[in-house]
């Protein structure tokens, strides 16, 4: 989940289709497996991400994109009847300076994944923040790729 969320942030900026009212709509689906140490199980998951962003162009030729990423997810423990569901939203922000090519992108999610039975809910956090300089080089990258944790009952 960690690697795919990192690449998902990049994909949200690069794969776009235009919606009405000047908005840009993006959607993709990801599936993977992750180990949940607090339950000692491997979880297969599928998450559908949708984003609607609005871009504003400034006088210097730069643009600023701000949007809302929404997701729904289904999670099933391998070899067990345990399953979870999630639904959430988080902001996506991208700024690009038209004078010198500098850019910055951030995405954060703080997700509670609800149990579909009498076992713990899960918690997952993710944060991505990156800056590129005028040469297109990545100069700062901060990621908190998180892990699944059990929530107290």
């Amino acid at each position: 989940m960690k690697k795919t969320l990192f690449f998902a942030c990049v994909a949200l900026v690069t794969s776009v289709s235009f919606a009405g009212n000047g908005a840009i709509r993006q959607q993709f689906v990801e599936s993977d497996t992750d180990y949940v140490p607090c339950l000692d199980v491997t979880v297969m998951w599928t998450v559908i991400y949708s984003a609607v962003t609005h871009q504003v162009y400034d006088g210097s030729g730069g643009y600023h994109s701000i949007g809302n990423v929404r997701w729904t997810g289904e999670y099933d423990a391998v070899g067990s009847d345990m399953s979870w569901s999630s639904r959430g939203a988080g902001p996506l922000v991208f700024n690009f300076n038209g004078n010198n090519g500098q850019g910055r992108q951030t995405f954060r999610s703080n997700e509670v994944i609800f149990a579909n039975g009498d076992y713990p809910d899960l918690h997952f956090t993710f944060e991505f923040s990156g800056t590129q300089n005028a040469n297109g080089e990545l100069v700062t990258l901060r990621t908190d790729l998180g892990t699944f944790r059990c929530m107290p009952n």
Side-chain angles (χ1 to χ4, degrees):
M1 184 167 200
K2 300 166 193 164
K3 290 182 285 187
T4 53
L5 282 175
F6 172 78
F7 293 113
C9 290
V10 175
L12 282 171
V13 173
T14 59
S15 64
V16 300
S17 64
F18 291 96
N21 301 325
I24 298 171
R25 183 173 306 280
Q26 304 148 314
Q27 184 172 1
F28 61 95
V29 178
E30 295 204 85
S31 297
D32 206 344
T33 60
D34 277 291
Y35 178 68
V36 179
C38 57
L39 295 174
D40 193 27
V41 297
T42 298
V43 173
M44 294 182 357
W45 55 267
T46 299
V47 178
I48 300 171
Y49 298 91
S50 297
V52 176
T53 59
H54 293 274
Q55 291 186 340
V56 178
Y57 294 88
D58 61 30
S60 69
Y63 67 90
H64 312 280
S65 176
I66 190 161
N68 189 29
V69 180
R70 296 175 187 261
W71 62 85
T72 58
E74 297 296 326
Y75 308 76
D76 295 300
V78 176
S80 168
D81 290 337
M82 291 188 289
S83 65
W84 297 263
S85 299
S86 71
R87 172 166 280 183
L92 173 69
V93 179
F94 182 76
N95 293 297
F96 177 77
N97 185 330
N99 290 326
N100 59 23
Q102 294 176 331
R104 178 164 177 77
Q105 178 183 359
T106 59
F107 176 72
R108 292 182 183 103
S109 78
N110 188 15
E111 183 176 358
V112 175
I113 303 167
F114 296 100
N116 295 327
D118 190 22
Y119 38 89
D121 294 337
L122 300 175
H123 182 252
F124 186 82
T125 59
F126 174 81
E127 182 176 347
F128 168 86
S129 179
T131 304
Q132 79 178 37
N133 65 16
N135 297 324
E137 300 163 329
L138 189 64
V139 292
T140 63
L141 177 63
R142 188 176 91 193
T143 56
D144 174 6
L145 299 178
T147 58
F148 286 100
R149 296 178 310 177
C150 289
M151 302 279 294
N153 285 341

